[in-house]
Amino acid sequence: MLPRRPLVLALAVLFLVLSAAHLVIRLLGPDAWSRPTQVLLMPVLALVVLTAVRRPRQRPVKLVLVALFFSWLGDSLPALAEGDLAFLLMVAGFLVAQVVYVAAFWPYRDHSVLHHRRWLLAPYVGVVSALVWVCAPHAEGLLIPVLLYGLVLGLMAVTATGVGPWAAVGGALFLLSDALIALRAFAPGFAMPHDGFWVMSTYITAQALIVLGVLRRVRTLG
C-alpha cells in the first residue's frame, strides 16, 4: 500500500512499533508510560502521510493532516486537566477532528451509503441512537456536547463509506472506539476488562485505515 521509499517505510514501522508498545502498556502497565506513547502516535502517522504523498496540497490530504492534528490535541489536552474538564477537552479535540474528516469525505458522498444501498445506514443510525438512549440520561451537564459529538461521529462514519473500503472500516472502528468511551463514562454498571486496550486498539486501527483509504482514493500512493 505504501511507497517503497526508505523514509516512508521507516516511519510506518515506527508507527507500528509505537502502537504495539502503547497497547502492551495498556494491558500490562506501567500506566505512567501510557500517555507519552499515546501522544506520539498521531504525529508519526501524520509524518507517514507527508512522506507518502506526491502532492500534499491536495485538499483531502490536507484535511486528513488537520484531523490528525486535532486528534493529537484530543489525545494530549486531557492530561492538563481533571474530571469533566479533561473529558470536555478530549471531546473538543475529537469533535473538530470529526468535522474535518467529514469535510474530507464529503466530496465522495455520492459513493457512500447516503446514496447507494441506503439500507446500510440502519446500523449506523442504530448504534448512534442506542448510545444516545443509554448515555443521555446520565450525561447531566455534558449532555449537549455528548449529543453533538455523537451526531458528528455518526456522520463521519457514514461519509467515510464513500471514500472506499479502507476508510469505511476505519470510520466504523472509530465509531466503535468512541462508543466504548461513552459507555464507560455514562453507562452505569458498564465494565469491560482492559477497556483502555480495546478503546485504543480500535482507535489506532481506525486512524491508520482512514489515512490509507484517503491516500488510496486520491491516488497519491506508490
Side-chain angles (χ1 to χ4, degrees):
M1 289 295 296
L2 290 172
R4 296 183 180 275
R5 297 195 292 270
L7 182 56
V8 179
L9 296 177
L11 288 168
V13 169
L14 177 59
F15 177 75
L16 292 175
V17 171
L18 280 171
S19 300
H22 179 74
L23 294 177
V24 169
I25 291 167
R26 285 281 181 173
L27 280 175
L28 305 176
D31 290 340
W33 284 97
S34 177
R35 185 71 65 178
T37 51
Q38 182 174 343
V39 299
L40 290 173
L41 289 168
M42 293 307 105
V44 173
L45 186 57
L47 288 174
V48 173
V49 175
L50 285 170
T51 56
V53 296
R54 290 175 177 174
R55 290 178 294 169
R57 293 182 180 180
Q58 289 180 302
R59 183 173 181 271
V61 175
K62 289 194 293 184
L63 289 174
V64 163
L65 290 170
V66 173
L68 291 176
F69 170 74
F70 281 100
S71 296
W72 173 75
L73 289 181
D75 287 333
S76 307
L77 291 180
L80 304 178
E82 296 180 354
D84 286 352
L85 179 56
F87 186 81
L88 281 173
L89 289 172
M90 179 186 70
V91 170
F94 282 108
L95 176 60
V96 178
Q98 302 299 352
V99 170
V100 175
Y101 271 138
V102 170
F105 304 157
W106 194 249
Y108 311 111
R109 63 191 179 279
D110 288 346
H111 304 284
S112 74
V113 295
L114 290 171
H115 292 271
H116 299 280
R117 295 178 292 179
R118 290 182 177 175
W119 60 271
L120 289 174
L121 279 170
Y124 295 96
V125 174
V127 169
V128 173
S129 299
L131 281 174
V132 170
W133 182 72
V134 171
C135 298
H138 310 283
E140 299 179 351
L142 298 175
L143 178 60
I144 292 178
V146 167
L147 289 176
L148 178 61
Y149 186 80
L151 291 173
V152 175
L153 176 65
L155 181 60
M156 180 280 299
V158 166
T159 53
T161 63
V163 180
W166 292 97
V169 175
L173 286 175
F174 219 142
L175 180 58
L176 174 59
S177 177
D178 284 0
L180 293 175
I181 294 174
L183 291 171
R184 180 175 61 186
F186 301 115
F190 177 80
M192 185 177 183
H194 306 298
D195 57 346
F197 170 84
W198 296 112
V199 167
M200 288 304 301
S201 61
T202 49
Y203 165 69
I204 292 168
T205 306
Q207 293 278 27
L209 288 177
I210 287 172
V211 162
L212 289 175
V214 170
L215 292 177
R216 183 181 179 91
R217 185 68 182 184
V218 299
R219 298 182 180 181
T220 52
L221 292 179

